[in-house]
Amino acid sequence: MFAGLTLFFALAFVHAIVRDFLKTFLDPPSHMRRKKGWSLFRRPAAQVPLVALEGSNDYRMLLARGSQMYPNQAYKIFHFPGELVIIPHQWIDEIKNAPSSTLSFQQGSWDLLLGTYTGISGHETAVASLIRSHMGHLLNELCTVVDSEGKAAIEQHIGPCKVQIVTTMTQRVFAGESLCRDPKWVTIALLTQGIATDFKKLEAVVNCAAGFRSVAKLWQTNWFLRSFVAWRDKSLKGLRNHRKIVKRLLLPVLDERLKSMENPLFKPPTDLIQLLIDTNPQGIGRSIGHHTDAQINTGRAALFTTSISTFHLVYDLAAHPECIEPLRQELAELGDVAYSEYNVSKLVKLDSFIRECQRWSSLTMIGTIRSVMQPFMLPDGTVLPVGTILGVNAHDSTFNNSPFENPHVFDGFRSGLS
């Protein structure tokens, strides 16, 4: 009997471990390419020149050398998950104009950023298309709610943590008024993006890119051990656990919203929850799983890009104090008016300054990331095989192939003022 109990508990223990381990693997969106087992051993090889690292792991210098050696043709570098093909700037339009069925940004991001473990770029096409097609029509309404939420967030968070300002404002658009002001929701929104791994460290967060540290760690891990490292990685384990909390906090809000919609006098709020319900009234728009995935994936994209851009804006403004007074004067001339798409369009200098900051501080060294979904012929006749990941040297495109005069000089008011 004792032996039987021992075996029972041993099997139960093994079963629990296996179940927890299998949670490490996240399903890709339904429209993505399903990888075969042999892809671990047989990676695509593009027939273009190889530029190898020399003496250091400085990829910025590697890209500069490669673009200087091959200014008019593609070359490749060794980088996870095998090779990255770098396209010259003059071919960028061919890359951008190719349909996603041929060159996919989402598939490229999923492969490069290990979406199987991190969930990065794991949104369904339907959700992304929905946001692109509907959010623009709601821009004026969004301006109003973001304006009021921004003022409240700045007063509350400008000292402790600027990331929380961005979180509160973006969650107002995605999760609605009640959740965006719920401290638990704001905290868990940061945690599910990997911005922090626990509540105690949340106030100390100063770098929004911290959530991507697991990616670099997994890049350097042997493929055979990668799944086990991802399983025990503190950040990724936390993300999997925090997803459950998102679902628990979101469920009563979704139920209340669906119940309120039965009232003929119901006035729909402007947020992602309502948008998902309205566009799928009897289908997945009522599914808590669908809403949870949408909140996490849209929040990750908005929080990362907006927070990093905001940090760069504040830094560049401090580094170029000569821009402060012209921007202040432009705002004063606009006056105390409603925050709307029309009034914002009058802030030409501010728009120019933001564009210059984004030009000056690129988020990545390699831009326009794509994964080849079908054999793709480059303008010089080179055919890239399926599975190839390609991109452009962002620094080379921005500074060496710029349409602006003196591109290596920061000029906050160069755009749109002629």
Side-chain angles (χ1 to χ4, degrees):
M1 180 177 178
F2 179 76
L5 285 174
T6 302
L7 179 61
F8 172 79
F9 285 117
L11 290 174
F13 178 70
V14 172
H15 180 259
I17 291 178
V18 171
R19 282 189 60 185
D20 190 59
F21 175 70
L22 292 178
K23 292 178 183 177
T24 305
F25 304 93
L26 304 177
D27 292 330
S30 57
H31 61 278
M32 275 193 181
R33 179 179 63 231
R34 267 26 179 201
K35 286 193 173 183
K36 307 297 183 181
W38 53 260
S39 63
L40 290 172
F41 311 98
R42 184 180 170 188
R43 295 188 177 123
Q47 300 304 308
V48 295
L50 170 67
V51 179
L53 286 167
E54 293 181 354
S56 71
N57 291 327
D58 191 335
Y59 277 90
R60 191 178 298 277
M61 292 181 62
L62 173 66
L63 290 169
R65 180 158 50 87
S67 296
Q68 185 177 17
M69 291 172 61
Y70 304 104
N72 300 312
Q73 72 175 98
Y75 62 93
K76 63 185 179 182
I77 62 175
F78 282 135
H79 190 281
F80 183 90
E83 297 178 351
L84 292 184
V85 174
I86 308 301
I87 305 298
H89 173 78
Q90 56 266 36
W91 295 351
I92 195 169
D93 286 339
E94 281 81 355
I95 307 305
K96 288 182 176 180
N97 294 333
S100 59
S101 58
T102 302
L103 297 180
S104 171
F105 165 74
Q106 189 179 4
Q107 183 73 59
S109 301
W110 176 272
D111 293 341
L112 187 62
L113 300 177
L114 290 155
T116 300
Y117 307 114
T118 65
I120 296 174
S121 196
H123 57 275
E124 292 286 345
T125 299
V127 176
S129 300
L130 186 66
I131 293 175
R132 282 195 298 266
S133 60
H134 287 75
M135 283 299 185
H137 302 306
L138 303 173
L139 196 54
N140 270 323
E141 293 181 52
L142 290 175
C143 282
T144 302
V145 298
V146 169
D147 183 35
S148 61
E149 207 59 52
K151 292 175 181 176
I154 288 173
E155 291 178 2
Q156 184 177 358
H157 299 299
I158 189 64
C161 187
K162 295 179 181 65
V163 176
Q164 286 184 269
I165 298 175
V166 177
T167 306
T168 302
M169 295 174 67
T170 55
Q171 291 305 309
R172 174 63 181 85
V173 176
F174 296 144
E177 186 173 0
S178 61
L179 282 177
C180 83
R181 296 182 181 180
D182 183 342
K184 291 182 180 180
W185 178 266
V186 174
T187 300
I188 205 65
L190 287 168
L191 294 170
T192 50
Q193 312 316 322
I195 305 305
T197 56
D198 57 63
F199 289 83
K200 293 181 181 179
K201 296 181 181 178
L202 186 60
E203 292 297 330
V205 174
V206 293
N207 187 357
C208 190
F212 290 81
R213 287 176 185 161
S214 297
V215 174
K217 178 180 178 181
L218 293 176
W219 277 347
Q220 300 170 29
T221 304
N222 182 276
W223 69 268
F224 182 75
L225 300 174
R226 190 172 294 130
S227 299
F228 298 97
V229 172
W231 175 43
R232 301 309 301 164
D233 183 80
K234 185 178 180 181
S235 295
L236 298 180
K237 193 175 183 67
L239 293 180
R240 294 192 292 271
N241 292 332
H242 299 322
R243 181 180 290 267
K244 301 175 186 176
I245 304 177
V246 170
K247 185 177 292 187
R248 189 176 73 239
L249 292 174
L250 190 59
L251 182 58
V253 175
L254 178 60
D255 289 342
E256 182 181 356
R257 182 71 61 86
L258 292 173
K259 185 177 180 180
S260 299
M261 290 176 62
E262 297 174 2
N263 187 339
L265 300 179
F266 171 74
K267 183 179 179 181
T270 307
D271 56 37
L272 181 60
I273 294 176
Q274 193 63 42
L275 188 59
L276 292 173
I277 295 173
D278 290 344
T279 51
N280 299 278
Q282 301 300 326
I284 58 175
R286 294 171 176 264
S287 163
I288 183 61
H290 181 62
H291 279 267
T292 300
D293 291 339
Q295 291 291 338
I296 291 176
N297 288 318
T298 54
R300 174 184 284 122
L303 183 58
F304 176 71
T305 56
T306 308
S307 295
I308 293 294
S309 297
T310 301
F311 285 135
H312 287 158
L313 286 171
V314 174
Y315 177 87
D316 289 335
L317 190 61
H320 301 279
E322 70 277 4
C323 296
I324 295 176
E325 189 55 37
L327 291 172
R328 182 185 287 122
Q329 183 178 353
E330 184 179 59
L331 287 168
E333 291 174 354
L334 183 63
D336 187 14
V337 297
Y339 183 61
S340 66
E341 182 181 7
Y342 174 73
N343 288 326
V344 169
S345 68
K346 297 179 182 179
L347 300 175
V348 180
K349 291 181 180 178
L350 179 60
D351 178 75
S352 174
F353 185 80
I354 293 174
R355 289 173 184 269
E356 183 70 355
C357 291
Q358 292 174 331
R359 186 188 75 87
W360 194 255
S361 303
S362 176
L363 291 177
T364 61
M365 287 189 285
I366 300 176
T368 322
I369 293 291
R370 298 290 190 272
S371 178
V372 177
M373 309 298 286
Q374 300 179 19
F376 182 72
M377 180 179 291
L378 298 175
D380 65 353
T382 302
V383 177
L384 299 181
V386 172
T388 302
I389 296 181
L390 57 88
V392 298
N393 181 347
H395 187 275
D396 181 68
S397 294
T398 301
F399 294 99
N400 299 332
N401 293 277
S402 174
F404 298 121
E405 294 183 7
N406 301 318
H408 293 275
V409 176
F410 184 95
D411 182 356
F413 304 133
R414 71 163 76 241
S415 304
L417 301 181
S418 59

